[in-house]
mmCIF file of all heavy atoms in Angstrom:
data_model
loop_
_atom_site.group_PDB
_atom_site.id
_atom_site.type_symbol
_atom_site.label_atom_id
_atom_site.label_comp_id
_atom_site.label_asym_id
_atom_site.label_seq_id
_atom_site.Cartn_x
_atom_site.Cartn_y
_atom_site.Cartn_z
ATOM 1 N N PRO A 22 60.682 8.624 2.704
ATOM 2 C CA PRO A 22 60.138 9.933 2.344
ATOM 3 C C PRO A 22 58.828 10.211 3.074
ATOM 4 O O PRO A 22 57.974 9.338 3.199
ATOM 5 C CB PRO A 22 59.909 9.813 0.830
ATOM 6 C CG PRO A 22 60.844 8.736 0.395
ATOM 7 C CD PRO A 22 60.908 7.766 1.536
ATOM 8 N N GLY A 23 58.696 11.419 3.580
ATOM 9 C CA GLY A 23 57.490 11.769 4.325
ATOM 10 C C GLY A 23 57.664 11.578 5.818
ATOM 11 O O GLY A 23 56.847 12.019 6.599
ATOM 12 N N GLY A 24 58.765 10.919 6.197
ATOM 13 C CA GLY A 24 59.014 10.714 7.613
ATOM 14 C C GLY A 24 59.361 12.003 8.333
ATOM 15 O O GLY A 24 59.403 12.053 9.554
ATOM 16 N N ASP A 25 59.657 13.043 7.566
ATOM 17 C CA ASP A 25 59.988 14.338 8.162
ATOM 18 C C ASP A 25 58.762 15.220 8.301
ATOM 19 O O ASP A 25 58.852 16.398 8.621
ATOM 20 C CB ASP A 25 61.042 15.051 7.312
ATOM 21 C CG ASP A 25 60.605 15.209 5.865
ATOM 22 O OD1 ASP A 25 59.462 14.837 5.546
ATOM 23 O OD2 ASP A 25 61.402 15.715 5.070
ATOM 24 N N GLY A 26 57.588 14.662 8.010
ATOM 25 C CA GLY A 26 56.353 15.415 8.158
ATOM 26 C C GLY A 26 55.867 16.069 6.888
ATOM 27 O O GLY A 26 54.765 16.580 6.825
ATOM 28 N N ARG A 27 56.700 16.069 5.834
ATOM 29 C CA ARG A 27 56.287 16.666 4.562
ATOM 30 C C ARG A 27 55.601 15.609 3.706
ATOM 31 O O ARG A 27 56.015 14.465 3.663
ATOM 32 C CB ARG A 27 57.501 17.238 3.826
ATOM 33 C CG ARG A 27 58.115 18.438 4.510
ATOM 34 C CD ARG A 27 59.315 18.950 3.734
ATOM 35 N NE ARG A 27 60.415 18.001 3.773
ATOM 36 C CZ ARG A 27 61.550 18.159 3.103
ATOM 37 N NH1 ARG A 27 61.704 19.223 2.324
ATOM 38 N NH2 ARG A 27 62.516 17.276 3.202
ATOM 39 N N SER A 28 54.548 16.004 3.035
ATOM 40 C CA SER A 28 53.785 15.051 2.233
ATOM 41 C C SER A 28 54.592 14.609 1.022
ATOM 42 O O SER A 28 55.403 15.351 0.482
ATOM 43 C CB SER A 28 52.468 15.682 1.780
ATOM 44 O OG SER A 28 52.716 16.816 0.974
ATOM 45 N N PHE A 29 54.378 13.379 0.610
ATOM 46 C CA PHE A 29 55.057 12.829 -0.555
ATOM 47 C C PHE A 29 54.229 11.686 -1.107
ATOM 48 O O PHE A 29 53.673 10.890 -0.371
ATOM 49 C CB PHE A 29 56.449 12.307 -0.192
ATOM 50 C CG PHE A 29 57.084 11.548 -1.331
ATOM 51 C CD1 PHE A 29 57.715 12.225 -2.344
ATOM 52 C CD2 PHE A 29 57.006 10.165 -1.391
ATOM 53 C CE1 PHE A 29 58.273 11.542 -3.409
ATOM 54 C CE2 PHE A 29 57.561 9.470 -2.443
ATOM 55 C CZ PHE A 29 58.198 10.165 -3.455
ATOM 56 N N ASP A 30 54.146 11.618 -2.433
ATOM 57 C CA ASP A 30 53.555 10.442 -3.046
ATOM 58 C C ASP A 30 54.215 10.232 -4.397
ATOM 59 O O ASP A 30 54.658 11.167 -5.059
ATOM 60 C CB ASP A 30 52.035 10.561 -3.170
ATOM 61 C CG ASP A 30 51.611 11.653 -4.127
ATOM 62 O OD1 ASP A 30 51.563 11.394 -5.335
ATOM 63 O OD2 ASP A 30 51.336 12.777 -3.643
ATOM 64 N N VAL A 31 54.292 8.957 -4.785
ATOM 65 C CA VAL A 31 54.993 8.576 -6.003
ATOM 66 C C VAL A 31 54.321 9.173 -7.232
ATOM 67 O O VAL A 31 54.994 9.573 -8.190
ATOM 68 C CB VAL A 31 55.067 7.042 -6.109
ATOM 69 C CG1 VAL A 31 55.691 6.628 -7.437
ATOM 70 C CG2 VAL A 31 55.878 6.466 -4.952
ATOM 71 N N GLU A 32 52.994 9.252 -7.231
ATOM 72 C CA GLU A 32 52.286 9.800 -8.386
ATOM 73 C C GLU A 32 52.684 11.251 -8.650
ATOM 74 O O GLU A 32 52.839 11.660 -9.803
ATOM 75 C CB GLU A 32 50.772 9.697 -8.179
ATOM 76 C CG GLU A 32 50.238 8.276 -8.293
ATOM 77 C CD GLU A 32 48.725 8.226 -8.221
ATOM 78 O OE1 GLU A 32 48.100 9.303 -8.140
ATOM 79 O OE2 GLU A 32 48.181 7.116 -8.255
ATOM 80 N N SER A 33 52.866 12.028 -7.602
ATOM 81 C CA SER A 33 53.287 13.422 -7.773
ATOM 82 C C SER A 33 54.673 13.495 -8.392
ATOM 83 O O SER A 33 54.937 14.320 -9.271
ATOM 84 C CB SER A 33 53.287 14.146 -6.425
ATOM 85 O OG SER A 33 51.984 14.243 -5.907
ATOM 86 N N LEU A 34 55.558 12.622 -7.949
ATOM 87 C CA LEU A 34 56.903 12.581 -8.503
ATOM 88 C C LEU A 34 56.860 12.253 -9.988
ATOM 89 O O LEU A 34 57.481 12.948 -10.810
ATOM 90 C CB LEU A 34 57.749 11.550 -7.757
ATOM 91 C CG LEU A 34 59.133 11.263 -8.358
ATOM 92 C CD1 LEU A 34 60.002 12.518 -8.338
ATOM 93 C CD2 LEU A 34 59.814 10.120 -7.597
ATOM 94 N N GLU A 35 56.132 11.210 -10.346
ATOM 95 C CA GLU A 35 56.081 10.796 -11.747
ATOM 96 C C GLU A 35 55.425 11.855 -12.621
ATOM 97 O O GLU A 35 55.814 12.049 -13.778
ATOM 98 C CB GLU A 35 55.339 9.460 -11.876
ATOM 99 C CG GLU A 35 56.083 8.280 -11.263
ATOM 100 C CD GLU A 35 57.441 8.037 -11.907
ATOM 101 O OE1 GLU A 35 57.609 8.352 -13.107
ATOM 102 O OE2 GLU A 35 58.334 7.536 -11.209
ATOM 103 N N ASP A 36 54.440 12.542 -12.080
ATOM 104 C CA ASP A 36 53.780 13.621 -12.833
ATOM 105 C C ASP A 36 54.773 14.728 -13.153
ATOM 106 O O ASP A 36 54.847 15.212 -14.291
ATOM 107 C CB ASP A 36 52.609 14.160 -12.014
ATOM 108 C CG ASP A 36 51.874 15.275 -12.747
ATOM 109 O OD1 ASP A 36 51.274 14.999 -13.794
ATOM 110 O OD2 ASP A 36 51.921 16.420 -12.265
ATOM 111 N N VAL A 37 55.548 15.126 -12.160
ATOM 112 C CA VAL A 37 56.535 16.188 -12.362
ATOM 113 C C VAL A 37 57.624 15.746 -13.333
ATOM 114 O O VAL A 37 58.030 16.511 -14.217
ATOM 115 C CB VAL A 37 57.149 16.607 -11.008
ATOM 116 C CG1 VAL A 37 58.367 17.495 -11.223
ATOM 117 C CG2 VAL A 37 56.119 17.337 -10.158
ATOM 118 N N LEU A 38 58.082 14.504 -13.196
ATOM 119 C CA LEU A 38 59.137 14.012 -14.078
ATOM 120 C C LEU A 38 58.660 13.942 -15.527
ATOM 121 O O LEU A 38 59.422 14.250 -16.458
ATOM 122 C CB LEU A 38 59.624 12.637 -13.619
ATOM 123 C CG LEU A 38 60.365 12.599 -12.281
ATOM 124 C CD1 LEU A 38 60.759 11.162 -11.934
ATOM 125 C CD2 LEU A 38 61.616 13.489 -12.317
ATOM 126 N N SER A 39 57.425 13.542 -15.729
ATOM 127 C CA SER A 39 56.882 13.470 -17.089
ATOM 128 C C SER A 39 56.791 14.854 -17.716
ATOM 129 O O SER A 39 57.170 15.060 -18.882
ATOM 130 C CB SER A 39 55.497 12.818 -17.079
ATOM 131 O OG SER A 39 55.572 11.469 -16.664
ATOM 132 N N LEU A 40 56.275 15.813 -16.955
ATOM 133 C CA LEU A 40 56.157 17.179 -17.470
ATOM 134 C C LEU A 40 57.540 17.758 -17.756
ATOM 135 O O LEU A 40 57.758 18.403 -18.791
ATOM 136 C CB LEU A 40 55.414 18.052 -16.460
ATOM 137 C CG LEU A 40 55.203 19.517 -16.863
ATOM 138 C CD1 LEU A 40 54.432 19.618 -18.174
ATOM 139 C CD2 LEU A 40 54.495 20.279 -15.749
ATOM 140 N N ARG A 41 58.473 17.522 -16.866
ATOM 141 C CA ARG A 41 59.825 18.031 -17.067
ATOM 142 C C ARG A 41 60.444 17.466 -18.342
ATOM 143 O O ARG A 41 61.087 18.185 -19.115
ATOM 144 C CB ARG A 41 60.700 17.684 -15.864
ATOM 145 C CG ARG A 41 62.092 18.285 -15.976
ATOM 146 C CD ARG A 41 63.060 17.753 -14.954
ATOM 147 N NE ARG A 41 64.273 18.569 -14.968
ATOM 148 C CZ ARG A 41 65.432 18.202 -14.432
ATOM 149 N NH1 ARG A 41 65.528 17.022 -13.835
ATOM 150 N NH2 ARG A 41 66.485 18.969 -14.504
ATOM 151 N N TYR A 42 60.254 16.175 -18.562
ATOM 152 C CA TYR A 42 60.836 15.536 -19.735
ATOM 153 C C TYR A 42 60.321 16.189 -21.019
ATOM 154 O O TYR A 42 61.101 16.522 -21.921
ATOM 155 C CB TYR A 42 60.510 14.045 -19.730
ATOM 156 C CG TYR A 42 61.201 13.272 -20.832
ATOM 157 C CD1 TYR A 42 62.452 12.704 -20.618
ATOM 158 C CD2 TYR A 42 60.612 13.114 -22.079
ATOM 159 C CE1 TYR A 42 63.097 12.003 -21.626
ATOM 160 C CE2 TYR A 42 61.246 12.428 -23.097
ATOM 161 C CZ TYR A 42 62.485 11.862 -22.859
ATOM 162 O OH TYR A 42 63.118 11.180 -23.872
ATOM 163 N N VAL A 43 59.026 16.366 -21.089
ATOM 164 C CA VAL A 43 58.430 16.957 -22.293
ATOM 165 C C VAL A 43 58.919 18.386 -22.493
ATOM 166 O O VAL A 43 59.329 18.777 -23.603
ATOM 167 C CB VAL A 43 56.896 16.918 -22.208
ATOM 168 C CG1 VAL A 43 56.268 17.719 -23.335
ATOM 169 C CG2 VAL A 43 56.396 15.473 -22.259
ATOM 170 N N LEU A 44 58.895 19.191 -21.436
ATOM 171 C CA LEU A 44 59.265 20.598 -21.562
ATOM 172 C C LEU A 44 60.746 20.791 -21.878
ATOM 173 O O LEU A 44 61.112 21.574 -22.767
ATOM 174 C CB LEU A 44 58.920 21.342 -20.278
ATOM 175 C CG LEU A 44 57.442 21.547 -19.967
ATOM 176 C CD1 LEU A 44 57.275 22.199 -18.594
ATOM 177 C CD2 LEU A 44 56.771 22.408 -21.041
ATOM 178 N N GLU A 45 61.614 20.080 -21.156
ATOM 179 C CA GLU A 45 63.037 20.372 -21.289
ATOM 180 C C GLU A 45 63.680 19.714 -22.507
ATOM 181 O O GLU A 45 64.628 20.267 -23.071
ATOM 182 C CB GLU A 45 63.774 20.005 -20.001
ATOM 183 C CG GLU A 45 63.359 20.866 -18.822
ATOM 184 C CD GLU A 45 64.476 21.085 -17.828
ATOM 185 O OE1 GLU A 45 65.596 21.435 -18.238
ATOM 186 O OE2 GLU A 45 64.213 20.881 -16.624
ATOM 187 N N THR A 46 63.205 18.551 -22.922
ATOM 188 C CA THR A 46 63.724 18.009 -24.182
ATOM 189 C C THR A 46 63.269 18.884 -25.352
ATOM 190 O O THR A 46 64.034 19.133 -26.287
ATOM 191 C CB THR A 46 63.281 16.554 -24.410
ATOM 192 O OG1 THR A 46 61.843 16.472 -24.352
ATOM 193 C CG2 THR A 46 63.893 15.611 -23.384
ATOM 194 N N GLY A 47 62.039 19.367 -25.260
ATOM 195 C CA GLY A 47 61.548 20.283 -26.290
ATOM 196 C C GLY A 47 62.325 21.582 -26.304
ATOM 197 O O GLY A 47 62.645 22.122 -27.375
ATOM 198 N N ALA A 48 62.663 22.089 -25.129
ATOM 199 C CA ALA A 48 63.437 23.328 -25.044
ATOM 200 C C ALA A 48 64.823 23.153 -25.657
ATOM 201 O O ALA A 48 65.309 24.029 -26.382
ATOM 202 C CB ALA A 48 63.554 23.781 -23.593
ATOM 203 N N ALA A 49 65.464 22.027 -25.387
ATOM 204 C CA ALA A 49 66.794 21.766 -25.945
ATOM 205 C C ALA A 49 66.729 21.719 -27.473
ATOM 206 O O ALA A 49 67.584 22.277 -28.169
ATOM 207 C CB ALA A 49 67.355 20.463 -25.393
ATOM 208 N N GLU A 50 65.698 21.073 -27.987
ATOM 209 C CA GLU A 50 65.530 20.963 -29.439
ATOM 210 C C GLU A 50 65.314 22.337 -30.071
ATOM 211 O O GLU A 50 65.938 22.676 -31.093
ATOM 212 C CB GLU A 50 64.354 20.043 -29.739
ATOM 213 C CG GLU A 50 64.076 19.849 -31.211
ATOM 214 C CD GLU A 50 62.923 18.895 -31.461
ATOM 215 O OE1 GLU A 50 62.695 17.996 -30.622
ATOM 216 O OE2 GLU A 50 62.255 19.054 -32.500
ATOM 217 N N LEU A 51 64.426 23.131 -29.485
ATOM 218 C CA LEU A 51 64.132 24.453 -30.040
ATOM 219 C C LEU A 51 65.337 25.390 -29.948
ATOM 220 O O LEU A 51 65.587 26.181 -30.864
ATOM 221 C CB LEU A 51 62.939 25.068 -29.309
ATOM 222 C CG LEU A 51 61.570 24.454 -29.611
ATOM 223 C CD1 LEU A 51 60.502 25.070 -28.715
ATOM 224 C CD2 LEU A 51 61.209 24.659 -31.078
ATOM 225 N N ALA A 52 66.079 25.300 -28.844
ATOM 226 C CA ALA A 52 67.256 26.150 -28.685
ATOM 227 C C ALA A 52 68.295 25.834 -29.761
ATOM 228 O O ALA A 52 68.922 26.743 -30.321
ATOM 229 C CB ALA A 52 67.856 25.973 -27.296
ATOM 230 N N ALA A 53 68.474 24.553 -30.044
ATOM 231 C CA ALA A 53 69.439 24.157 -31.073
ATOM 232 C C ALA A 53 68.969 24.579 -32.460
ATOM 233 O O ALA A 53 69.771 24.946 -33.312
ATOM 234 C CB ALA A 53 69.648 22.640 -31.023
ATOM 235 N N LYS A 54 67.683 24.548 -32.675
ATOM 236 C CA LYS A 54 67.117 24.873 -33.989
ATOM 237 C C LYS A 54 67.172 26.373 -34.262
ATOM 238 O O LYS A 54 67.222 26.807 -35.424
ATOM 239 C CB LYS A 54 65.676 24.372 -34.048
ATOM 240 C CG LYS A 54 64.999 24.549 -35.388
ATOM 241 C CD LYS A 54 63.544 24.089 -35.318
ATOM 242 C CE LYS A 54 63.429 22.607 -35.004
ATOM 243 N NZ LYS A 54 62.014 22.140 -35.018
ATOM 244 N N ARG A 55 67.171 27.169 -33.216
ATOM 245 C CA ARG A 55 66.945 28.607 -33.378
ATOM 246 C C ARG A 55 68.128 29.352 -34.004
ATOM 247 O O ARG A 55 67.947 30.280 -34.780
ATOM 248 C CB ARG A 55 66.612 29.203 -32.009
ATOM 249 C CG ARG A 55 66.345 30.694 -32.030
ATOM 250 C CD ARG A 55 65.679 31.138 -30.746
ATOM 251 N NE ARG A 55 65.683 32.589 -30.645
ATOM 252 C CZ ARG A 55 66.331 33.272 -29.727
ATOM 253 N NH1 ARG A 55 67.030 32.631 -28.804
ATOM 254 N NH2 ARG A 55 66.293 34.578 -29.711
#
């Protein structure tokens, strides 16, 4: 990754994955509850 000239770092990936997990599991729960 990054060999194509685009920046990449593992911390950015993990940050996005963590935020996604919180938002989308919460969204699934709220949608089912509604």
Side-chain angles (χ1 to χ4, degrees):
D25 56 4
R27 292 180 292 175
S28 61
F29 171 82
D30 66 84
V31 175
E32 288 186 3
S33 295
L34 172 63
E35 292 299 331
D36 181 66
V37 168
L38 293 179
S39 295
L40 180 58
R41 184 191 191 197
Y42 186 90
V43 171
L44 290 175
E45 294 211 48
T46 56
E50 180 178 331
L51 288 174
K54 184 183 297 184
R55 180 165 168 245

